[in-house]
Amino acid sequence: MLEIKPIKAFADNYLWLFKQNNSTEACIVDPGDATPVLAYLQQENLNLSAILLTHHHADHIGGVNELLTHYNVPVFGPDSAAISQVTEKLYEGDSITLAGTNFSVLEIPGHTLDHIAYYASAPEDGNPVLFCGDTLFAGGCGRVFEGNPAMMYQSLQKLANLAPATEIYCAHEYTLGNLAFAQTVSPEYEPLLRRIELETLKRSKDLPTLPSNIEQELLTNPFLRCMDTSIQEQFSNQQPVEVFAALREWKDRF
């Protein structure tokens, strides 16, 4: 069975470590800081076997060089001039097998042009798994830094079409802030209000709000509800991609 653990870094990053149950070989996703990763590996008597990267931002790759001084491991990631450490360049449709699990590679540009995600559709004894960096967040989505709104919208739609039970392991604990914005968009939306109550309780106990799942995001994430009549009406019934662009601009000012 695939085990996935969050390692906290910086103010609100999660570096996701995964391995097979009872194995001492572990993989790390987006290690922006090596120090907490090295500490966790030592604490748990684990050996690092691979590094996976979703995009080139420093809080996702900043710990790679230090980790490579301790472990001679492959670095999987996008074909990006901004990530010199990648040894295994990945593209849409590629697949890799790590920790006994097959991951498909999805290209999801928008936040950055080189952004990819890792999707395991059928982990042993578990739900599908998605490591999606900074594209889809719990209750929100990443800023559009290098792409454009249409590109980001299409990337989000690609993720939204994954299996509803897919567990979403994004890279930041942004959930309560994202849901506060979602409530501004849909103040009386009952599923959202229930989710805010649940996630607020988790954070009051210092528990992660992640993973989320696709079903939950389709129900409560405004960036995946651009075809919802109650949201479209706020933007003169524009096309979904235009609604998304308006929502993203609104969120940027929120």
Side-chain angles (χ1 to χ4, degrees):
M1 183 174 180
L2 194 65
E3 293 182 354
I4 305 174
K5 302 291 184 182
I7 299 176
K8 294 181 180 180
F10 309 118
D12 50 33
N13 280 65
Y14 290 130
L15 320 179
W16 295 106
L17 180 141
F18 67 91
K19 68 183 191 71
Q20 273 294 315
N21 185 30
N22 297 324
S23 173
T24 59
E25 297 295 315
C27 306
I28 191 72
V29 182
D30 285 349
D33 185 0
T35 300
V37 178
L38 292 169
Y40 187 88
L41 292 169
Q42 181 178 19
Q43 172 188 316
E44 300 296 325
N45 277 333
L46 299 176
N47 182 58
L48 188 67
S49 59
I51 297 170
L52 293 78
L53 305 176
T54 62
H55 66 291
H56 68 259
H57 284 162
D59 62 322
H60 293 253
I61 69 170
V64 173
N65 287 340
E66 176 67 16
L67 289 174
L68 291 177
T69 67
H70 295 268
Y71 299 95
N72 181 21
V73 298
V75 180
F76 297 89
D79 185 354
S80 171
I83 318 176
S84 61
Q85 302 96 328
V86 170
T87 60
E88 305 290 334
K89 297 178 180 178
L90 299 173
Y91 306 89
E92 176 83 22
D94 285 348
S95 63
I96 56 175
T97 300
L98 296 168
T101 304
N102 182 260
F103 291 90
S104 299
V105 176
L106 305 173
E107 292 181 355
I108 49 170
H111 179 68
T112 64
L113 294 178
D114 62 2
H115 209 304
I116 62 173
Y118 301 86
Y119 177 60
S121 61
E124 182 183 355
D125 299 325
N127 292 323
V129 167
L130 176 70
F131 295 110
C132 57
D134 286 357
T135 296
L136 176 61
F137 290 132
C141 73
R143 287 178 179 265
V144 182
F145 285 127
E146 297 178 8
N148 56 53
M151 185 182 292
M152 187 68 157
Y153 178 77
Q154 290 304 319
S155 292
L156 289 169
Q157 287 300 298
K158 182 182 292 188
L159 301 183
N161 286 325
L162 298 175
T166 299
E167 296 176 356
I168 299 167
Y169 294 89
C170 54
H172 292 276
E173 183 57 75
Y174 287 166
T175 308
L176 293 186
N178 287 336
L179 295 179
F181 172 72
Q183 188 177 9
T184 301
V185 177
S186 302
E188 305 299 329
Y189 184 48
E190 196 59 39
L192 176 59
L193 298 179
R194 289 196 299 271
R195 184 178 185 186
I196 290 172
E197 183 177 356
L198 175 64
E199 307 296 15
T200 300
L201 180 61
K202 289 180 187 175
R203 295 306 295 149
S204 73
K205 299 178 180 179
D206 197 31
L207 296 174
T209 59
L210 302 171
S212 179
N213 61 53
I214 294 296
E215 182 177 28
Q216 175 83 289
E217 297 310 312
L218 287 170
L219 183 64
T220 57
N221 188 326
F223 296 101
L224 299 189
R225 298 178 57 227
C226 296
M227 289 176 281
D228 189 292
T229 302
S230 66
I231 293 181
Q232 284 195 326
E233 287 175 347
Q234 298 181 57
F235 300 98
S236 303
N237 293 306
Q238 297 182 78
Q239 293 300 308
V241 67
E242 295 168 322
V243 172
F244 169 79
L247 282 171
R248 187 60 260 182
E249 183 181 358
W250 185 4
K251 178 64 166 61
D252 290 346
R253 303 191 309 267
F254 184 71

